[in-house]
């Protein structure tokens, strides 16, 4: 197992290097001058040249890349052109909001998908199955921004139960943190839950048709135990795969949801960096997103061996 993990980490490092090269090249091909946008009305020639030299943009591109990636390896992602603050500090400020939204949204998604998909598989072609199919299709078809706006109009505007947007830290006020989190989490979680519902249904249906399930039933095992220990446990493997991808997507920032609810997450920060041509901030954000996806994929692969004893990585490093 340790050999497999080491090999995956080395592969991830190669992927990160490739991502860093690609991101650096694409960002520098985007039209627009980040220095002039950062200075705005203060863009005198002296100020322009001073900020350009301080940012290292007057160096050749190859030198700029190696300077950036060398500093990134030490945790220094550069300085934002727009705010003049370290990129690492800006990212760390956004992580609590993004983490709160991602975890809450994936919990909402699982609360929707696991019971609905399981019951739908246990009763195929029933009204429950029809409801699960239609609702999951609706959840995928309804745009996030429209759903978020409807939630705001109903629960904030008409009923006044919840705030319309913004973020309050968990340590500042847990109750207000939860109240501000409900609508963004449900909005983001419905789409993920609709995707997961289909995978849960197909995985449970596949597990129900396996020989070991028929054998367990023939031995007189209770239906609840068959469902818990044989069906759901084996259906978890594909669910973990898709759920991991959804979690990584949520951790990378749900831009539309964050904009609708004025949620200060990483997705909104990355969008602002694109609009401002803030090279350092955008490069740091994309590099972080790549790290998130690689780590989530590694954790998902390791969970396979825990969920299914037939899967082993003991000889994977050979």
């Amino acid at each position: 197992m340790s050999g497999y993990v080491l090999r995956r980490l080395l592969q991830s490092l190669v992927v990160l290097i490739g991502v860093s090269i690609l991101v650096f090249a694409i960002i520098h091909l985007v039209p627009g001058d980040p220095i002039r946008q950062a200075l705005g009305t203060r863009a005198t020639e002296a100020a322009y040249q001073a900020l350009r030299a301080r940012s290292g943009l007057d160096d050749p591109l190859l030198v700029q890349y190696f300077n950036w990636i060398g500093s990134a390896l030490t945790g220094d992602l550069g300085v934002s052109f727009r705010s003049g603050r370290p990129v690492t500090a800006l990212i760390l400020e956004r992580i609590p909001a993004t983490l709160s939204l991602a975890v809450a949204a994936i919990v909402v998604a699982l609360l929707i998908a696991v019971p609905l998909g399981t019951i739908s598989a246990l009763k195929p072609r029933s009204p429950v199955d029809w409801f699960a199919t239609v609702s999951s299709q609706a959840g995928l078809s309804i745009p996030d921004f429209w759903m978020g706006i409807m939630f705001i109009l109903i629960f904030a505007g008409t009923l006044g139960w919840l705030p319309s947007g913004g973020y309050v830290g968990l340590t500042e006020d847990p109750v207000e943190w939860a109240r501000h989190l409900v609508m963004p989490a449900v909005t983001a979680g419905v789409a993920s839950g609709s995707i997961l519902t289909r995978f849960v249904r197909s995985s449970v249906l596949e597990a129900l048709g396996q020989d070991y399930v028929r054998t367990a039933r023939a031995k007189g095992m209770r239906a609840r135990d068959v469902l818990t220990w044989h069906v759901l446990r084996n259906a978890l493997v594909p669910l973990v795969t898709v759920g991991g991808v959804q979690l990584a997507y949520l951790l990378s920032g749900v831009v539309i949801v964050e904009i609708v609810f004025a949620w200060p997450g990483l997705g909104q920060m990355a969008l602002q960096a694109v609009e401002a041509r803030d090279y350092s901030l955008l490069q740091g954000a994309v590099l972080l997103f790549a790290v998130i996806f690689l780590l989530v994929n590694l954790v998902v692969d390791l969970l396979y061996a825990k969920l299914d004893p037939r899967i082993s990585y003991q000889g994977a490093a050979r």
Side-chain angles (χ1 to χ4, degrees):
M1 177 70 77
S2 59
Y4 172 78
V5 173
L6 180 60
R7 190 177 69 168
R8 284 295 304 272
L9 290 175
L10 291 175
Q11 291 173 348
S12 299
L13 181 60
V14 174
V15 172
L16 279 178
I17 293 173
V19 169
S20 68
I21 295 173
L22 188 63
V23 169
F24 185 86
I26 292 176
I27 287 176
H28 281 76
L29 289 175
V30 174
D33 191 333
I35 302 299
R36 294 201 181 278
Q37 284 199 247
L39 290 174
T41 57
R42 301 169 297 160
T44 63
E45 187 61 28
Y48 176 85
Q49 294 299 335
L51 183 55
R52 183 175 176 83
R54 189 165 66 249
S55 304
L57 292 180
D58 53 352
D59 293 329
L61 284 179
L62 193 60
V63 175
Q64 290 183 44
Y65 171 76
F66 281 110
N67 288 338
W68 171 64
I69 201 65
S71 299
L73 292 174
T74 65
D76 180 9
L77 296 173
V79 177
S80 168
F81 297 156
R82 185 177 183 179
S83 65
R85 298 180 57 201
V87 171
T88 305
L90 292 173
I91 290 176
L92 290 176
E93 285 180 0
R94 302 276 183 146
I95 285 179
T98 296
L99 190 61
S100 299
L101 179 56
V103 172
I106 203 67
V107 168
V108 170
L110 291 174
L111 289 175
I112 294 171
V114 174
L116 192 59
T118 302
I119 297 172
S120 174
L122 293 173
K123 298 181 178 180
R125 293 181 294 277
S126 67
V128 175
D129 187 23
W130 178 85
F131 173 76
T133 303
V134 172
S135 59
S136 62
Q137 186 63 43
L140 289 172
S141 304
I142 297 175
D144 290 350
F145 71 88
W146 186 87
M147 190 185 306
I149 291 171
M150 290 300 102
F151 283 158
I152 292 173
L153 287 175
I154 296 170
F155 297 105
T158 304
L159 300 176
W161 292 352
L162 298 169
S164 61
Y167 171 75
V168 176
L170 176 61
T171 56
E172 297 176 23
D173 190 334
V175 174
E176 284 302 311
W177 170 81
R179 293 182 71 245
H180 283 77
L181 182 60
V182 170
M183 288 197 293
V186 172
T187 304
V190 165
S192 296
S194 300
I195 296 172
L196 293 177
T197 298
R198 297 189 170 202
F199 279 90
V200 171
R201 182 183 183 278
S202 61
S203 300
V204 172
L205 277 174
E206 183 180 354
L208 286 170
Q210 297 298 318
D211 292 336
Y212 53 79
V213 174
R214 286 191 288 268
T215 302
R217 286 172 172 170
K219 288 181 178 180
M221 184 178 289
R222 292 186 305 174
R224 180 185 299 177
D225 293 336
V226 172
L227 179 63
T228 303
W229 297 105
H230 294 283
V231 177
L232 289 181
R233 183 171 182 179
N234 287 277
L236 277 177
V237 174
L239 175 61
V240 167
T241 303
V242 183
V245 173
Q246 290 298 310
L247 178 60
Y249 163 71
L250 292 168
L251 285 171
S252 300
V254 192
V255 179
I256 295 176
V257 174
E258 291 178 1
I259 291 174
V260 170
F261 292 100
W263 195 264
L266 292 171
Q268 188 185 84
M269 182 194 72
L271 179 62
Q272 292 171 349
V274 172
E275 294 172 346
R277 303 295 188 273
D278 197 336
Y279 290 172
S280 298
L281 185 56
L282 185 56
Q283 288 169 178
V286 175
L287 196 63
L288 175 64
F289 298 158
V291 170
I292 289 172
F293 271 91
L294 290 170
L295 288 178
V296 169
N297 283 331
L298 176 59
V299 171
V300 166
D301 286 349
L302 295 178
L303 282 176
Y304 288 162
K306 297 294 184 183
L307 296 173
D308 192 341
R310 296 172 297 179
I311 299 175
S312 175
Y313 298 119
Q314 293 298 330
R318 297 177 183 174

